[in-house]
Amino acid sequence: MVSGGRAPDADRHGGAAGQDDLGPLPEWNLNDLYPGTQSRELTQDLERARQQARQLREDYEGRLAGLDGDSLAVAIERYEAIEEVLGRLMSYAQLVYSGDMSNPEVGKFYQGMQESVTAISTDLVFFTLELNNIPEDALEAKLASRKLAAYRPWLRDVRAFRPHQLSDELERMLHEKHVSGRSAWVRLFDETMAALRFPLNGEDLTSSEVLNKLTSHDAATREAAAKTFGGTLGAHVRTFSLITNTLAKDKQTEDSWRGFARPVSSRNLANFVEDEVVDALVGAVRESYPKLSHRYYRLKASWMGKDTLPYWDRNAPLPEDDDKVVPWPAARETVLNAYAEFSPTLAEVGQRFFDRNWIDAPTRAGKAPGAFSHPTVPSAHPYVLLNYQGRTRDVMTLAHELGHGVHQVLAGHQGHLMADTPLTLAETASVFGEMLTFQRMLRHETDPKRRKVMLAAKVEDMLNTVVRQIAFHEFERRVHDERKAGELLPERLGQIWLETQREALGEVFEFDDEYQYFWCYIPHFIHVPFYVYAYAFGDCLVNSLYAVYENAQGDFADKYLEMLQAGGTKRHRDLLAPFGLDASDPTFWHQGLGLIERFIDELETFE
């Protein structure tokens, strides 16, 4: 799963503007990674990594515990260098694959790269296992070495998994089987979704294209798009159910061996956040459903002259929305100006993405839906994938993904092992970038009707990021809990989906039969189980952070940049402390949710 992705959903898709209306859209140039799938540079890196991994194992297997601090630091430096080459190889393969998932040759290349990199990295499995077997006091003595102390944050994170580590032989077996096990099912999901076509008005549309129709001004188009989307997913529900059941069972088996108490616990540990903190977030959001989503959608129904809303009207444009198309140059200027107003450094880094072809913006058949920013490796740079179609929400998506990209660039100096942040913190810069862009656009909007439309769109995005993602989390939690008792039939998966959606969205919505299949296309359930709560975590965190910014003195931007530059070296408590925030405090989440409530308060004044 590439980093910094947004779950593809109707909340993140724009309208059906024509190519000519948008201006020239950039396509990324992957040559900074490799000049081609069959290039000499790629082949040489594969062979060099293979030899270096084998040599590292020969030099150090069974010996790490006996090294002094300086010598252990040298070993980690060698390990990091190999991992970065493997990261570059797989980043390139993932980006090529994301650009055209329906091409069999591309699929073959991607699978081949996975198999090659997995085989090479098998020689590296011993390394972190042996590090975790070093007694705590012995490692602390080694950390007196200044060279080794530089890796203290990485060692801390690696050793967090010590209680759940299996024997060396089992760990190596799980690693080698991954490519023919879990990752094969993920590939089946990706290629099935990429190959699906949704018939509408004489055309066969991709998932991105048909989801765009759910924001059409024409109610009949929205209904037809929803029907064909749900109906087509339903025709393939047995495949999606098999994938979901298999991966849930696979996770249950591994969690049991590793001693994780709950299905979500392994994800929480990977995010370095306590189960209790996540429980507090989920509880706060669910408690807020009535005053957030239920309240807003009743308001939206009244604006549309209805007592209830069919589910395909959830992201329908408001009657006042003029469906204004935002050409690509205007979107770029809007986002960069918002970044520059906050920090010239943010804007300067963001500008590189446009100047150096680090963005792939057009929609294409076979291209991955949704949007993401892939960090690749620190020796290169991130790449951003969009499906830009000219709506204001697409501008917000650009602001979001560019925030990820800037964060990844700023953290790159930490090196390959310590640049990445946990998912919970990875959303900070992206959501903050959205907020900066939205607030600037709102300040410059004087037309009350346009202001209402902008506020409503922002509230819907926040509900989709917070309420809807927690509803996704609840769906996932219930599926994994029930899977322990046996395979879930497609009908049961649909029931759980409808129950969690009704709870989150409220009684104002009417759900037709085909909506029971909409769970099928959410890739995060497949790629990274329990990823989705990180969106709500990030949004609430940023809402609280932005409230501090509004009342802060002039050093806020400097503190913010320091937070991004820290990469994965600090945990959430340390990162938030300079701003006087604490995610373990239950009031923290309600403070973040309060911003959404205030926006809805303002929208009620437009009635």
Side-chain angles (χ1 to χ4, degrees), residues 193 195-214 219-237 240 311-312 512-518 520-521:
M193 275 304 305
L196 289 185
R197 293 297 178 266
F198 303 88
L200 184 67
N201 299 330
E203 294 183 276
D204 287 331
L205 304 181
T206 65
S207 60
S208 291
E209 291 168 334
V210 75
L211 285 169
N212 288 333
K213 302 296 185 182
L214 293 177
T221 298
R222 294 195 300 270
E223 179 179 2
K227 295 287 187 181
T228 190
F229 188 65
T232 302
L233 291 176
H236 295 81
V237 71
F240 291 120
Y311 74 86
W312 53 80
D512 288 1
D513 287 345
E514 70 281 347
Y515 190 69
Q516 68 181 293
Y517 304 118
F518 272 53
C520 294
Y521 82 106

Side-chain angles (χ1 to χ4, degrees), residues 234-255:
H236 295 81
V237 71
R238 290 183 62 188
T239 298
F240 291 120
S241 296
L242 177 60
I243 294 169
T244 299
N245 273 287
T246 302
L247 290 177
K249 182 61 178 179
D250 179 78
K251 177 173 169 54
Q252 178 197 339
T253 301
E254 186 165 335
D255 281 354

Side-chain angles (χ1 to χ4, degrees), residues 509-537:
F509 278 102
E510 298 174 343
F511 298 104
D512 288 1
D513 287 345
E514 70 281 347
Y515 190 69
Q516 68 181 293
Y517 304 118
F518 272 53
W519 62 269
C520 294
Y521 82 106
I522 306 298
H524 293 56
F525 297 158
I526 305 302
H527 290 163
V528 189
F530 295 99
Y531 182 120
V532 289
Y533 77 75
Y535 290 121
F537 193 112

Side-chain angles (χ1 to χ4, degrees), residues 291-338:
K291 58 185 177 183
L292 297 180
S293 48
H294 297 187
R295 177 183 169 207
Y296 172 77
Y297 289 120
R298 283 196 302 269
L299 193 60
K300 182 170 185 176
S302 69
W303 291 336
M304 299 182 73
K306 300 178 179 181
D307 294 325
T308 60
L309 289 174
Y311 74 86
W312 53 80
D313 280 350
R314 181 172 61 86
N315 288 308
L318 300 188
E320 298 93 333
D321 192 341
D322 59 9
D323 205 23
K324 178 182 176 182
V325 172
V326 183
W328 177 256
R332 178 184 60 211
E333 181 180 5
T334 296
V335 174
L336 289 177
N337 284 345

Side-chain angles (χ1 to χ4, degrees), residues 300-568:
K300 182 170 185 176
S302 69
W303 291 336
M304 299 182 73
K306 300 178 179 181
D307 294 325
T308 60
L309 289 174
Y311 74 86
W312 53 80
D313 280 350
R314 181 172 61 86
N315 288 308
L318 300 188
E320 298 93 333
D321 192 341
D322 59 9
D323 205 23
K324 178 182 176 182
V325 172
V326 183
W328 177 256
R332 178 184 60 211
E333 181 180 5
T334 296
V335 174
L336 289 177
N337 284 345
Y339 277 33
E341 195 173 74
F342 173 75
S343 164
T345 300
L346 284 190
E348 185 276 322
V349 176
Q351 184 72 50
R352 298 179 203 171
F353 284 76
F354 299 94
D355 294 345
R356 303 181 187 180
N357 293 336
W358 297 355
I359 301 176
D360 193 272
T363 58
R364 291 189 301 271
K367 181 178 176 180
F372 64 71
S373 179
H374 194 313
T376 73
V377 290
S379 58
H381 54 77
Y383 282 95
V384 167
L385 179 142
L386 304 170
N387 281 276
Y388 189 82
Q389 298 192 59
R391 293 291 297 277
T392 300
R393 281 179 171 142
D394 290 321
V395 180
M396 292 296 109
T397 299
L398 172 60
H400 180 99
E401 300 305 338
L402 195 65
H404 277 305
V406 170
H407 190 180
Q408 291 155 358
V409 170
L410 292 175
H413 72 100
Q414 298 289 354
H416 184 69
L417 296 180
M418 294 183 289
D420 284 350
T421 57
L423 297 176
T424 44
L425 299 173
E427 294 301 322
T428 303
S430 54
V431 179
F432 197 81
E434 276 191 83
M435 185 62 77
L436 290 173
T437 303
F438 169 73
Q439 294 284 8
R440 188 179 194 278
M441 292 172 69
L442 194 65
R443 286 196 302 273
H444 287 80
E445 184 55 66
T446 57
D447 182 349
K449 289 185 178 180
R450 287 289 305 158
R451 187 178 178 87
K452 175 184 175 182
V453 168
M454 287 178 63
L455 270 171
K458 182 59 178 173
V459 167
E460 290 188 17
D461 277 348
M462 296 172 89
L463 293 178
N464 285 325
T465 304
V466 177
V467 168
R468 191 157 164 79
Q469 299 301 328
I470 292 301
F472 286 176
H473 172 83
E474 283 299 287
F475 169 80
E476 220 172 347
R477 180 188 63 78
R478 291 179 58 181
V479 166
H480 282 265
D481 284 347
E482 290 193 21
R483 181 64 181 89
K484 294 175 184 177
E487 185 168 302
L488 280 70
L489 295 175
E491 294 78 9
R492 180 56 186 153
L493 290 166
Q495 288 172 355
I496 298 172
W497 174 257
L498 288 172
E499 288 166 6
T500 52
Q501 291 298 299
R502 287 192 177 106
E503 180 195 18
L505 299 177
E507 295 180 359
V508 74
F509 278 102
E510 298 174 343
F511 298 104
D512 288 1
D513 287 345
E514 70 281 347
Y515 190 69
Q516 68 181 293
Y517 304 118
F518 272 53
W519 62 269
C520 294
Y521 82 106
I522 306 298
H524 293 56
F525 297 158
I526 305 302
H527 290 163
V528 189
F530 295 99
Y531 182 120
V532 289
Y533 77 75
Y535 290 121
F537 193 112
D539 200 277
C540 289
L541 186 157
V542 165
N543 292 346
S544 297
L545 195 63
Y546 196 83
V548 174
Y549 166 56
E550 289 181 309
N551 300 299
Q553 303 303 315
D555 64 343
F556 182 93
D558 292 335
K559 290 180 180 177
Y560 178 78
L561 289 175
E562 288 176 9
M563 179 174 67
L564 301 189
Q565 290 165 348

